């Protein structure tokens, strides 16, 4: 805890003065983020660091497994945060970002890992369909099975988001774009789901040379 408090002192002493004009503006005009990110709570996923963004730029909803229950299936904090972001803020892009080595997705595949965690079991059931969709060939090796589940879950949660009336309406009007990402902790890459081409592409490669990297996530 000492390190955390020291970090706060350092922030107030060194960082805050540099950002004071930005914070003043954010206080006087309010937040106006254009990106809603839905990510996992995993401590290894740091969105501002990953995207080079600062205060006021990302509205972030995090939970175990970057899950968004279908609208009406579970009206809780995640639903409220997404609804607020889309309706009250100038959000233009919604990003669901999964990540490799996800514990929540491991719990989805192996319920015995969370046998004494009823809340986790109850929560990951909103990703169960992803498990059902994975090619049976991927289930033989756990690491491949997990990567396939992580990728398929991102696609499933995008579908769930599209059931929100506020999102459906804005997508239809061309005011909102949806993005599905997976962050690969082991190599720093971020891959994006190409809905048109039905394949995963690396966001870190230039547009012309983007390769299909779906093989990293099984045949999903
Ligand atoms: Zn995770």
């Amino acid at each position: 805890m000492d390190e955390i408090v020291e970090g706060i002192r350092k922030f107030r002493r060194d960082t805050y003065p540099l950002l004071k004009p930005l914070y003043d503006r954010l206080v006087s005009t309010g937040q106006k983020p254009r990106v809603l990110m839905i990510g996992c709570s995993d401590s290894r996923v740091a969105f501002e660091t990953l995207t080079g963004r600062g205060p006021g730029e990302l509205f972030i909803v995090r939970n175990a497994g970057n899950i968004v229950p279908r609208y009406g299936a579970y009206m809780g904090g995640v639903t409220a945060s997404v609804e607020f972001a889309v309706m009250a803020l100038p959000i233009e892009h919604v990003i669901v970002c999964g990540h490799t080595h996800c514990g929540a997705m491991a719990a989805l595949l192996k319920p015995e890992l969370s046998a004494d965690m009823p809340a986790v079991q109850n929560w990951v059931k909103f990703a169960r369909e992803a498990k059902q969709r994975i090619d049976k060939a991927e289930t033989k090796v756990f690491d491949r099975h997990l990567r396939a589940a992580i990728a398929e879950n991102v696609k499933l949660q995008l579908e769930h988001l599209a059931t929100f009336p506020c999102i459906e309406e804005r997508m239809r009007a061309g005011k909102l774009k949806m993005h599905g990402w997976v962050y690969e902790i082991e190599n720093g890459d971020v891959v994006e789901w190409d809905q048109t081409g039905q394949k995963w592409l690396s966001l870190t490669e230039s547009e012309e040379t983007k390769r299909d990297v779906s093989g990293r996530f099984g045949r999903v």
Side-chain angles (χ1 to χ4, degrees):
M1 198 58 199
D2 289 350
E3 289 168 352
I4 300 280
V5 173
E6 186 46 47
I8 291 171
R9 288 182 180 142
K10 189 170 181 301
F11 169 78
R12 181 135 198 239
R13 188 184 62 230
D14 304 335
T15 313
Y16 191 80
L18 299 173
L19 294 172
K20 185 76 168 71
L22 170 62
Y23 279 115
D24 283 347
R25 185 162 52 79
L26 289 170
V27 166
S28 62
T29 64
Q31 61 166 336
K32 291 188 171 54
R34 289 183 295 158
V35 176
L36 163 62
M37 293 210 65
I38 293 151
C40 186
S41 301
D42 193 294
S43 62
R44 297 164 294 184
V45 183
F47 286 120
E48 274 94 351
T49 306
L50 186 62
T51 58
R53 298 298 92 198
E57 295 189 273
L58 303 176
F59 191 93
I60 305 177
V61 179
R62 300 180 70 151
N63 63 71
N66 39 273
I67 287 166
V68 182
R70 194 174 284 278
Y71 196 77
Y74 186 91
M75 297 293 239
V78 171
T79 317
S81 300
V82 170
E83 193 168 71
F84 170 78
V86 172
M87 297 196 68
L89 302 173
I91 299 294
E92 295 168 8
H93 299 274
V94 181
I95 302 165
V96 176
C97 186
H99 67 97
T100 53
H101 309 281
C102 182
M105 290 302 102
L108 170 72
L109 298 181
K110 286 188 174 176
E112 65 272 23
L113 293 176
S114 61
D116 56 350
M117 300 179 223
V120 171
Q121 291 203 337
N122 188 58
W123 182 242
V124 298
K125 77 175 188 225
F126 295 110
R128 203 163 44 197
E129 215 176 313
K131 181 181 177 182
Q132 291 160 355
R133 288 183 195 173
I134 299 167
D135 191 319
K136 288 283 176 285
E138 305 299 343
T139 64
K140 289 176 189 146
V141 179
F142 185 68
D143 183 52
R144 281 198 71 79
H145 193 193
L146 180 57
R147 292 179 74 89
I150 287 161
E152 192 61 34
N153 179 54
V154 167
K155 290 156 60 183
L156 176 66
Q157 302 312 326
L158 287 173
E159 291 171 31
H160 288 173
L161 279 162
T163 67
F164 280 58
C166 57
I167 290 182
E168 197 268 330
E169 183 192 316
R170 283 164 178 75
M171 280 173 71
R172 203 154 20 90
K175 292 178 181 164
L176 196 62
K177 285 207 171 82
M178 311 293 279
H179 310 267
W181 293 2
V182 177
Y183 168 50
E184 295 181 276
I185 299 174
E186 64 279 10
N187 61 24
D189 202 4
V190 175
V191 299
E192 180 171 43
W193 176 242
D194 172 14
Q195 181 66 34
T196 313
Q198 293 286 297
K199 60 193 174 195
W200 290 93
L201 301 172
S202 168
L203 273 179
T204 57
E205 290 179 359
S206 66
E207 284 301 324
E208 310 78 58
T209 58
K210 270 186 182 170
R211 292 167 299 128
D212 181 353
V213 294
S214 305
R216 295 187 202 166
F217 303 98
R219 284 170 286 175
V220 292

